[in-house]
């Protein structure tokens, strides 16, 4: 793991956006794995600014999102389809035909998971995967479990994840209880991974993920075994890591 220290959320966002833009500039037809939630919004804002200046071009890129709530249609204002178009896709030139997300409206779990994995394979796999990390160490919606997941699957969301996401809905009762998510194995097959972490409330789980044992009870800990991972984290998130560990 390469740990990139940032001063704050904005600095973290800019540093992560630099890595993504470099990927696209060096390989214009990159397959990008993208994430949702509050953590990557600053990254998308920075990439849009650079796109508008003509510094980066997404016209040949393909994207695959990590996850989607099961039971929400693409036009639902809390779906990840809606989120990605509002916060990124509608402001850049990535072709609509190359945008991929799990279909939350598809209730046939086996059919949808098989479709999504097949699409990722057909695209040649993911060149760069962007991740956030949950308070319990989840990546995508891969929650703490007894084993690491493989391909795309449907998960029952934990109470802590529902609690963390309820701010986006009218109440916790409105948060979907299931989601489609890329599996840990799919994430690990990405050629490059960036994981972004911000805030003091994630300091302990970040230390556990980076320097603790590799265990499915901390899903992000598996990233220790990947050959090209950049952890971009602000000072608050790194506050429990020692200087020796950070070196």
């Amino acid at each position: 793991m390469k740990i990139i220290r940032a001063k704050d959320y904005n600095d973290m966002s800019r540093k992560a956006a630099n890595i993504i833009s470099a990927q696209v500039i060096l390989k214009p037809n990159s397959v990008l794995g993208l994430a949702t939630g509050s953590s990557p919004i600053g990254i998308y804002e920075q990439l849009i600014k650079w796109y508008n200046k003509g510094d980066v071009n997404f016209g040949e890129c393909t994207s695959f999102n990590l996850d989607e709530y099961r039971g929400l249609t693409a036009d639902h204002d809390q779906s990840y389809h809606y989120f990605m178009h509002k916060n990124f896709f509608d402001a850049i030139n990535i072709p609509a035909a190359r945008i991929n997300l799990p279909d939350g409206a598809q209730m046939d779990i086996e059919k949808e998971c098989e479709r999504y994995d097949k699409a990722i394979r057909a695209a040649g796999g993911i060149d760069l995967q962007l991740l956030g990390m949950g308070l319990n160490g989840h990546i995508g919606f891969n929650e703490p479990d007894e084993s690491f997941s493989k391909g795309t699957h449907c998960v029952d969301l934990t109470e802590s994840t529902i609690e963390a996401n309820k701010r986006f809905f009218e109440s916790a009762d409105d948060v979907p209880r299931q989601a489609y998510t890329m599996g840990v194995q799919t994430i690990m097959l990405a050629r490059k991974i960036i994981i972004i972490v911000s805030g003091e409330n994630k300091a302990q789980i970040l230390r556990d993920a980076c320097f603790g044992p590799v265990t499915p009870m901390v899903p992000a800990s598996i990233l220790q075994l990947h050959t090209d991972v950049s952890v971009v984290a602000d000072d608050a998130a790194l506050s429990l890591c020692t200087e020796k560990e950070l070196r």
Side-chain angles (χ1 to χ4, degrees), residues 24 28-30 51 56-62 92-96 98:
V24 175
N29 64 340
S30 288
Y51 165 74
V56 62
N57 185 339
F58 298 95
E60 296 180 42
C61 289
T62 299
I92 61 171
N93 66 332
I94 187 169
R98 293 184 183 160

Side-chain angles (χ1 to χ4, degrees), residues 33-34 64-67 102 116-117 120 126 129 139-142 149-153 180-184 186-187:
L34 300 177
F64 286 91
N65 262 77
L66 278 167
D67 41 33
Y116 206 58
D117 285 339
I120 293 171
I126 293 168
Q129 178 66 59
I139 47 178
F141 273 126
N142 293 285
S149 59
K150 294 183 179 179
T152 301
H153 57 292
Y180 289 117
T181 184
M182 282 186 199
V184 170
T186 307
I187 292 169

Side-chain angles (χ1 to χ4, degrees), residues 148 208-225:
F148 290 110
D208 292 344
C210 291
F211 303 108
V214 174
T215 168
M217 294 307 296
V218 182
S221 66
I222 192 71
L223 300 177
Q224 295 179 41
L225 305 181

